[in-house]
Amino acid sequence: MIDKKGIVYILGAGPGDYGLLTLKAADCIRKADVIVYDRLINASIFSLAKKDAEYINVGKMPDHHAVPQETINQILLDKALEGRVVARVKGGDPFIFGRGGEEAEVLQKNGIEFEIVPGITSAVAAAAYAGIPVTHREYCSSLHIITGHEKPGRDESFIDYEVISKLEGTLVFLMGMKNLDEISTNLIKHGKKSTTPAAVIERGTTISQRVVVGTLEDISKKVIDEGIKSPAVTVIGNVVALSERLNWFPKGKLKGKRIVVTRAREQASSLVEEIRKLGGDVIEFPTIRIEEPLDYQHFDRVLRDLNTYKWVVFTSVNGVKGFFKRMRTLKIDIRSLAGIHIAAVGEATAMELSEVGLNVDYMPDDYTTKELLKGLVELMGKGEKVLLARADIASKELSEGLKSNDIDFEELTVYRTVMEASMKSTVEDYLKQNKVDFITFASSSTVKNFIEILGKENMELLSKTKIVCIGPVTSQTAKESGLFVSAVADKYTIDGLVDKLVELSEE
Ligand code: SAH
């Protein structure tokens, strides 16, 4: 018997732009055991979730209620009664045409604890991203949000065109694409001026945002000509005229680009941040997860005998993190590294070392195993021993090279890498719809894991997107795995990778 009752967070995830998720919503997603989500949710938010969160897509396609509301209600009840934390994730705000009210009522009736987390509604945000302030002292003094699609089967319309045509405030219609002609005709018929400015914003706040501006008279035709589809909001009123001057979005050198970033889940995500800063949309695809070694016997022995080594080699940030974390756990003082030389591959690795107060004695110019080996052979004296603090799946190239040069070494598994497939179906969907501009790879192991997770049968999907690698080794692995590599960064760093993405976007 489970006596613990769960909780349901009915939350709004905003209109699409990742940055418009509220801090509170982000918090709830982080806490959730189960994520019940709708269509139109930006998949990037899922990277906040726990690695073992359960995902339930109850997305309704237009005209096609994939999962009936009763079933959704039941799912929420069942999961909460199992004692789990449920995030019920909706687009925009949960109480603006989101049926959040109905769900809350069901939970309340059944004695389930719930919280409502408001979200930024598309009614306001899509307009803002099109440079339309929905209210403005000089233009209007009210805002009206109206459904353009009423409950099917209702005989009489809820929308009283007689009344709303007389409103001087801004009118915003949601779900109105199919009825746009009817809406505008009715408004004119009941007295709204046919010259009233009107705009339709498709996929507002996302990289695919499109805006069509016209008047009540011609907006419907313009929308058809441009092929605008749902989801879109229609804004009617004099404030729309400001759009011409105030439109500011999209901006940034990566605007309009959707980029899949493959990486380890725990990896510090400066790449993701940089891309977002430049206006691109990121889908994070963690291919591996970093886990602790299975046991610490060997690790602890090595740390207690650090004075046996003359060099320690770190090839990744995770290697550095894992190494010093264990030192802290064992309360081994940093001074036990006194006199030991440190080699690092990559600037990020060196930066991580500097965080613990260590300067690097050697870093190869070219971040490859070959260069590293060359340097070690040159720098290491006779009889000196080197410790390789790396992942369980680290390449054998370095150890074999050391062996053939008669250098004494010891391999230390600082962390393990485990396959992670949580984003597979999301990315598969985007690829199928041809909606991915770039896929980035920053290591050979991510290339291999990505292919394994996506599956050989899906390789064909990758031919329509550009693959960009951080350096020649990663690129070589990608090519050997049958991928077509579009570009390699000139500088083998995250910044170099971002520069390359910008360059390709400007082509
Ligand atoms: N709760 C949501 C609205 C759900 S109803 C909110 O507060 O935004 C679904 C309708 O919302 C769509 O038909 C469309 O009119 C609108 N919509 C949702 N996301 C949108 C977006 N990114 N751009 C434009 N319209 C959007």
Side-chain angles (χ1 to χ4, degrees):
M1 247 273 303
I2 300 163
D3 52 3
K4 188 179 97 169
K5 269 193 192 169
I7 181 166
V8 180
Y9 297 105
I10 301 181
L11 67 89
D17 181 345
Y18 177 78
L20 296 181
L21 186 76
T22 66
L23 292 175
K24 187 155 188 184
D27 235 20
C28 295
I29 291 167
R30 277 192 204 100
K31 279 194 277 204
D33 302 313
V34 187
I35 295 177
V36 184
Y37 66 99
D38 281 346
R39 204 170 68 94
L40 303 180
I41 300 299
N42 184 339
S44 322
I45 67 170
F46 296 144
S47 46
L48 295 169
K50 288 203 259 196
K51 60 191 174 197
D52 54 356
E54 178 186 353
Y55 292 90
I56 304 177
N57 179 355
V58 293
K60 302 172 191 134
M61 303 306 274
D63 289 335
H64 177 79
H65 287 242
V67 181
Q69 188 61 46
E70 295 68 37
T71 314
I72 299 177
N73 297 345
Q74 198 56 50
I75 292 172
L76 298 179
L77 282 179
D78 290 348
K79 296 294 172 187
L81 286 169
E82 282 169 23
R84 303 171 77 191
V85 175
V86 183
R88 170 68 180 110
V89 183
K90 292 166 175 292
D93 179 90
F95 280 2
I96 294 191
F97 302 127
R99 305 189 73 171
E102 291 165 57
E103 290 172 12
E105 280 184 275
V106 170
L107 296 170
Q108 184 271 332
K109 267 192 207 130
N110 287 275
I112 305 285
E113 195 186 344
F114 64 90
E115 280 182 30
I116 312 294
V117 183
I120 295 183
T121 177
S122 63
V124 171
Y129 274 50
I132 303 169
V134 285
T135 74
H136 188 301
R137 283 161 61 116
E138 281 164 33
Y139 295 85
C140 63
S141 55
S142 65
L143 162 69
H144 311 269
I145 300 172
I146 306 158
T147 172
H149 170 87
E150 295 185 86
K151 201 169 166 182
R154 204 197 299 271
D155 288 339
E156 256 180 78
S157 176
F158 254 10
I159 306 175
D160 187 340
Y161 285 102
E162 184 80 49
V163 172
I164 62 170
S165 300
K166 293 192 175 56
L167 297 169
E168 56 80 58
T170 306
L171 307 181
V172 177
F173 284 88
L174 266 59
M175 301 177 284
M177 275 310 94
K178 275 207 9 236
N179 300 332
L180 187 57
D181 192 43
E182 195 186 321
I183 293 168
S184 43
T185 310
N186 266 314
L187 289 174
I188 295 172
K189 199 168 103 193
H190 289 91
K192 260 230 178 293
K193 273 199 201 148
S194 61
T195 51
T196 311
V200 171
I201 304 127
E202 180 191 49
R203 295 193 176 274
T205 82
T206 75
I207 57 157
S208 322
Q209 170 170 310
R210 290 200 291 167
V211 183
V212 175
V213 181
T215 61
L216 260 192
E217 177 93 70
D218 63 14
I219 192 73
S220 162
K221 181 175 181 311
K222 278 187 165 172
V223 158
I224 293 167
D225 290 350
E226 296 283 328
I228 299 281
K229 296 199 175 65
S230 174
V233 298
T234 305
V235 187
I236 299 165
N238 290 332
V239 282
V240 171
L242 287 165
S243 161
E244 200 182 337
R245 275 190 285 138
L246 302 186
N247 84 73
W248 59 275
F249 179 81
K251 70 177 198 182
K253 288 181 172 165
L254 290 176
K255 67 181 176 201
K257 301 294 174 200
R258 181 171 286 116
I259 301 164
V260 170
V261 173
T262 60
R263 61 179 191 92
R265 187 173 256 271
E266 287 81 359
Q267 204 167 297
S269 205
S270 51
L271 178 57
V272 173
E273 255 171 53
E274 271 312 303
I275 294 174
R276 286 201 179 121
K277 250 191 246 160
L278 293 170
D281 193 27
V282 180
I283 314 251
E284 290 178 78
F285 191 117
T287 55
I288 46 174
R289 202 161 70 217
I290 305 300
E291 301 230 325
E292 298 192 10
L294 287 173
D295 73 77
Y296 279 100
Q297 265 188 4
H298 179 231
F299 205 153
D300 293 355
R301 187 154 37 81
V302 166
L303 289 183
R304 294 203 165 103
D305 290 337
L306 277 176
N307 56 3
T308 356
Y309 307 97
K310 196 70 197 165
W311 282 83
V312 182
V313 174
F314 293 98
T315 53
S316 67
V317 171
N318 289 314
V320 178
K321 282 197 175 132
F323 192 90
F324 292 97
K325 185 169 167 217
R326 193 62 189 168
M327 275 185 71
R328 278 194 297 276
T329 307
L330 297 185
K331 298 209 181 327
I332 295 179
D333 195 279
I334 191 84
R335 284 167 293 186
S336 28
L337 282 162
I340 297 177
H341 297 304
I342 310 262
V345 178
E347 275 171 25
T349 313
M351 278 290 283
E352 195 65 35
L353 283 160
S354 75
E355 294 282 320
V356 289
L358 291 171
N359 290 337
V360 170
D361 299 286
Y362 170 64
M363 180 158 81
D365 299 334
D366 190 352
Y367 303 150
T368 60
T369 310
K370 222 163 109 199
E371 271 300 303
L372 172 67
L373 185 64
K374 212 171 110 199
L376 287 175
V377 169
E378 240 173 69
L379 293 165
M380 287 188 64
K382 255 209 146 7
E384 292 179 355
K385 191 170 178 182
V386 56
L387 177 68
L388 310 178
R390 305 196 292 169
D392 56 339
I393 51 146
S395 93
K396 293 275 161 274
E397 203 185 335
L398 182 60
S399 42
E400 273 160 18
L402 290 168
K403 224 182 267 172
S404 63
N405 279 287
D406 269 341
I407 294 179
D408 197 8
F409 69 92
E410 179 136 356
E411 289 267 17
L412 171 64
T413 296
V414 176
Y415 61 96
R416 289 181 307 129
T417 46
V418 182
M419 204 79 85
E420 156 96 50
S422 59
M423 286 301 280
K424 176 181 172 177
S425 63
T426 308
V427 167
E428 219 174 73
D429 285 350
Y430 278 113
L431 285 168
K432 278 188 187 140
Q433 296 171 53
N434 213 356
K435 283 184 172 164
V436 175
D437 296 287
F438 302 111
I439 300 180
T440 63
F441 289 108
S443 76
S444 290
S445 60
T446 18
V447 172
K448 289 185 196 147
N449 290 329
F450 178 78
I451 292 175
E452 185 158 345
I453 295 164
L454 205 62
K456 285 262 181 276
E457 69 281 7
N458 281 322
M459 282 302 98
E460 191 58 19
L461 290 176
L462 299 177
S463 58
K464 291 199 186 107
T465 170
K466 286 189 175 145
I467 290 174
V468 188
C469 294
I470 198 165
V473 177
T474 308
S475 160
Q476 186 60 30
T477 309
K479 285 179 192 157
E480 281 165 13
S481 315
L483 300 181
F484 178 78
V485 176
S486 299
V488 179
D490 298 322
K491 208 169 156 234
Y492 313 151
T493 59
I494 295 298
D495 284 347
L497 191 55
V498 172
D499 289 346
K500 189 51 80 180
L501 291 171
V502 168
E503 190 185 311
L504 293 169
S505 304
E506 281 165 352
E507 270 175 10

